[in-house]
Amino acid sequence: MTTTAITNIASLVTNDPSLGDDSPLGLITDAAVVIEGDRVVWTGESSKAPATDSAVDASGRAVIPGFVDSHSHLIFAGDRTQEFNARMSGRPYTAGGIRTTVAATRAATDDELSANVVRYLTEALRQGTTTFETKSGYGLTVEDEARALRIAARHTDEVTYLGAHVVSPDYADDPAGYVDLVTGPMLDACAPYARWVDVFCEKGAFDGDQARAILTAGMAKGLHPRVHANQLNYGPGVQLAVELDAASADHCTHLTDADVDALAQGNTVATLLPGAEFSTRADWPDARRILDAGATVALSTDCNPGSSFTSSMPFCIALAVRDMGMTPDEALWSATAGGAAALRRTDIGRIAPGARADLVLLDAPSHVHLAYRPGVPLVQAVWQRGERTL
């Protein structure tokens, strides 16, 4: 395998304190990185870089780990422009929300759904995202949920079964029957394509007992749990996630002190999704409160056509710094190493020997510019699994 060095890096974020300045970001100044195949094999000061087959001059720019987007909904068709326009114009809108996307997704062909995924993945890659998770949840039939996961599995290993997004309109008068479907025939059809099982534990979706039944059924099939928790109201989602050792509790907008304590004492990552609050004008999650308690925080896009139609992790970093009480260092860590923790991965989200060679070269001397210059396309180059893709 050939080796490549990226040299003359003004600021290298390793996310490994032992490699750099002992901070969580493990910063190295005037740095270099060596890639061999799809792995990082060396990091350190640029003047000490070993000989390699080729080299790239970073010209005094910053290098960060590729973003890890640990929460997205990319298997869908159509959009909800009218709904967004009405919401932003202060008018009530009752077009059906998720059910509108369900109808469009069911009507789409496999090729149309796959092309849509590729479109948004390409868009995200241009903005530095090298790992992503995505979910089903816009089919809500056995056949449509299974095909969504089958399509998703062609593009990522981080595939989540979310048959429990909302109760299918086909079961509007029989929610218990839909839970039986989600935990029975639908789970059987979907489990072979998924790593994770998820549930929207929220008033209007699934209550705590239903969520527990759905998650434990998925776990019995070998899927690992994660939970849409406490987005719209206070509820049992976070506590259930920690109890079941879910990898992540996602949204975490409305938290009691007991919820925060549970996150701090457990292994469940609090995944915050500021794009949703931005797009719905909802209250912001209090990231400062969660971090100060000692819990692990991830940032993700929640890219979906209804409540957070963005694929931009830099945008979410800027929102987290501006409106959620995070420092630029914390936001970057949460968008990289935090996302990896939410997927229970150690091979991504960092730039260290043995890690996957997912790197982003910024057209800026520091990662702080991601929040300092919001909306500016700062991604100069991307390496994904050691291959330069941009």
Side-chain angles (χ1 to χ4, degrees):
M1 291 184 289
T2 60
T3 55
T4 300
I6 305 172
T7 63
N8 195 18
I9 300 168
S11 176
L12 172 66
V13 174
T14 68
N15 284 340
D16 185 335
S18 69
L19 296 178
D21 63 355
D22 294 325
S23 72
L25 293 187
L27 288 171
I28 307 174
T29 57
D30 190 17
V33 178
V34 176
I35 300 168
E36 183 175 7
D38 65 352
R39 298 284 152 174
V40 174
V41 295
W42 186 90
T43 63
E45 295 177 13
S46 196
S47 62
K48 299 177 182 178
T52 56
D53 298 311
S54 61
V56 175
D57 187 349
S59 301
R61 298 181 177 93
V63 171
I64 63 173
F67 297 122
V68 180
D69 192 346
S70 60
H71 183 126
S72 73
H73 302 251
L74 299 184
I75 313 297
F76 69 88
D79 72 14
R80 278 145 64 187
T81 304
Q82 289 178 306
E83 178 184 331
F84 177 80
N85 189 43
R87 192 163 63 231
M88 294 299 107
S89 302
R91 300 192 303 271
Y93 191 80
T94 57
I98 289 171
R99 291 173 179 82
T100 302
T101 302
V102 169
T105 303
R106 288 180 178 180
T109 66
D110 286 12
D111 287 345
E112 288 169 339
L113 292 177
S114 187
N116 214 36
V117 174
V118 171
R119 172 187 175 187
Y120 294 116
L121 290 185
T122 302
E123 186 177 277
L125 184 64
R126 287 199 302 266
Q127 298 172 91
T129 298
T130 52
T131 301
F132 77 99
E133 175 272 357
T134 200
K135 312 173 192 299
S136 65
Y138 292 125
L140 309 186
T141 67
V142 172
E143 179 182 352
D144 285 305
E145 287 294 293
R147 76 162 178 154
L149 296 178
R150 187 170 61 248
I151 291 167
R154 297 172 190 162
H155 303 283
T156 181
D157 295 331
E158 303 298 345
V159 178
T160 300
Y161 168 49
L162 184 60
H165 201 179
V166 293
V167 173
S168 168
D170 308 321
Y171 285 79
D173 298 323
D174 185 17
Y178 186 65
V179 172
D180 289 341
L181 181 71
V182 168
T183 58
M186 187 182 289
L187 174 61
D188 291 340
C190 290
Y193 304 106
R195 182 184 178 202
W196 306 98
V197 58
D198 198 347
V199 60
F200 190 14
C201 183
E202 190 71 59
K203 184 178 180 180
F206 299 90
D207 64 24
D209 291 340
Q210 293 169 325
R212 181 188 300 278
I214 290 161
L215 294 172
T216 54
M219 293 165 69
K221 283 285 188 178
L223 304 182
H224 304 285
R226 51 201 322 111
V227 184
H228 280 62
N230 301 52
Q231 177 186 5
L232 305 177
N233 299 282
Y234 296 100
V238 165
Q239 300 276 352
L240 180 62
V242 175
E243 177 192 333
L244 297 180
D245 193 32
S248 65
D250 298 29
H251 288 289
C252 293
T253 309
H254 297 87
L255 300 180
T256 65
D257 289 345
D259 293 330
V260 175
D261 289 344
L263 289 166
Q265 295 168 17
N267 298 317
T268 299
V269 174
T271 299
L272 307 183
L273 309 166
E277 280 72 37
F278 177 87
S279 296
T280 60
R281 289 181 175 156
D283 293 336
W284 297 101
D286 189 348
R288 184 78 270 135
R289 178 186 179 203
I290 302 169
L291 287 164
D292 287 348
T296 301
V297 170
L299 284 178
S300 196
T301 65
D302 191 20
C303 186
N304 75 83
S307 61
S308 184
F309 206 4
T310 180
S311 58
S312 174
M313 291 289 276
F315 174 65
C316 292
I317 287 172
L319 291 180
V321 172
R322 169 63 178 81
D323 292 304
M324 287 165 42
M326 300 183 83
T327 68
D329 287 10
E330 290 168 337
L332 177 63
W333 190 96
S334 295
T336 51
L343 297 175
R344 297 207 163 155
R345 298 273 296 271
T346 59
D347 61 326
I348 56 176
R350 61 193 184 98
I351 300 175
R356 205 169 75 179
D358 294 344
L359 303 89
V360 175
L361 175 65
L362 299 178
D363 190 13
S366 166
H367 66 279
V368 177
H369 282 235
L370 292 166
Y372 180 43
R373 304 196 68 207
V376 177
L378 295 177
V379 174
Q380 178 84 11
V382 178
W383 285 261
Q384 186 178 41
R385 295 183 177 88
E387 294 289 331
R388 186 167 180 172
T389 60
L390 179 67

